[in-house]
Amino acid sequence: MGPAHPEEQKTLKPFQDRWNSMTPERQDRIRKGADRWQQMTPAERDQANQRYQKWRELPPERKETIRKRHEEFKKLPPDEQQRIRERSKWYRELPQEERRMIREKYQQMTPGERQDTSQRFRSMTPDEKRITSRGKTDSRVVNRNGPGPLP
C-alpha cells in the first residue's frame, strides 16, 4: 500500500494482500472510504457495520438487483435523484407503525392503483403527504390530487 497515515493504514489493512493488484481507481475509492470511516463517530461506525452485515447476509440475486437499481439511479437526472432522496428521507422519518400501514396498503393495490398513487404523491408537499399518510383527508389534498386519501 502507498503512503498513508497510521490510522488510514489500520483501516486499509484488510486490503493489503490484494492492494497491488487493484486498479488505481479501486484503490482511490477504498482510500476515500477509509477517510469517511475515520470521520465517523463510533455510533455511525456501528450503524455502518450493521448495514454491511445485512448486506453480506443477502442472497446473491438480491445483491445483483440492488446493484442494478443503483446503476439505474445514477443514470437519472440530478433533479430526479434529489426528488427520490427526499421521498426516501420522508418515508424513513415516519414512525415505524405508519411505514407498516403504508406498506400494507401498497401491497394490496393493483399495479394501476400503485401508479396513480405514485403520480399523485409526487405532486404533494411534505405536509400534504403527512396528512394523507395518516389516513386523514384534507380538502386541499383531495381537490388537488383526485378522490380519496393516499395510503
Side-chain angles (χ1 to χ4, degrees):
M1 277 187 273
H5 58 77
E7 279 299 311
E8 184 181 42
Q9 285 181 350
K10 180 181 171 187
T11 305
L12 296 174
K13 187 172 180 149
F15 303 97
Q16 75 183 31
D17 292 344
R18 55 188 186 265
W19 188 260
N20 292 332
S21 65
M22 291 181 189
T23 65
E25 293 81 16
R26 176 91 172 127
Q27 290 176 357
D28 188 49
R29 281 198 316 270
I30 291 172
R31 272 212 167 97
K32 286 178 181 174
D35 289 342
R36 282 194 312 272
W37 184 261
Q38 295 304 319
Q39 302 301 317
M40 289 180 179
T41 66
E44 290 169 330
R45 288 180 183 183
D46 287 344
Q47 201 173 36
N49 279 327
Q50 289 172 7
R51 283 193 311 266
Y52 180 67
Q53 185 59 39
K54 283 183 181 180
W55 173 259
R56 290 188 66 197
E57 293 170 359
L58 290 175
E61 304 81 32
R62 180 72 178 128
K63 289 179 185 178
E64 185 59 28
T65 300
I66 292 168
R67 284 185 189 106
K68 285 179 181 177
R69 290 183 71 186
H70 181 69
E71 287 301 316
E72 291 170 7
F73 176 80
K74 290 189 323 188
K75 293 176 185 175
L76 294 173
D79 60 324
E80 181 73 4
Q81 289 182 18
Q82 184 60 31
R83 187 186 62 74
I84 291 170
R85 283 187 191 99
E86 288 170 1
R87 217 167 56 187
S88 296
K89 181 179 184 289
W90 169 83
Y91 181 79
R92 283 190 315 270
E93 290 174 351
L94 288 173
Q96 187 173 0
E97 181 60 21
E98 286 187 52
R99 289 193 315 262
R100 185 191 60 75
M101 288 173 31
I102 290 171
R103 275 192 311 274
E104 286 177 2
K105 287 180 183 180
Y106 185 81
Q107 290 168 349
Q108 294 170 1
M109 292 178 171
T110 66
E113 290 171 328
R114 289 177 181 177
Q115 185 174 6
D116 290 345
T117 299
S118 179
Q119 288 173 348
R120 286 189 293 162
F121 211 64
R122 278 189 204 120
S123 66
M124 298 172 98
T125 67
D127 286 338
E128 290 170 329
K129 290 175 186 176
R130 199 171 359 276
I131 291 167
T132 304
S133 73
R134 293 191 174 123
K136 299 174 185 169
T137 304
D138 180 311
S139 61
R140 292 173 301 141
V141 175
V142 172
N143 293 337
R144 182 172 171 205
N145 297 300
L150 298 173

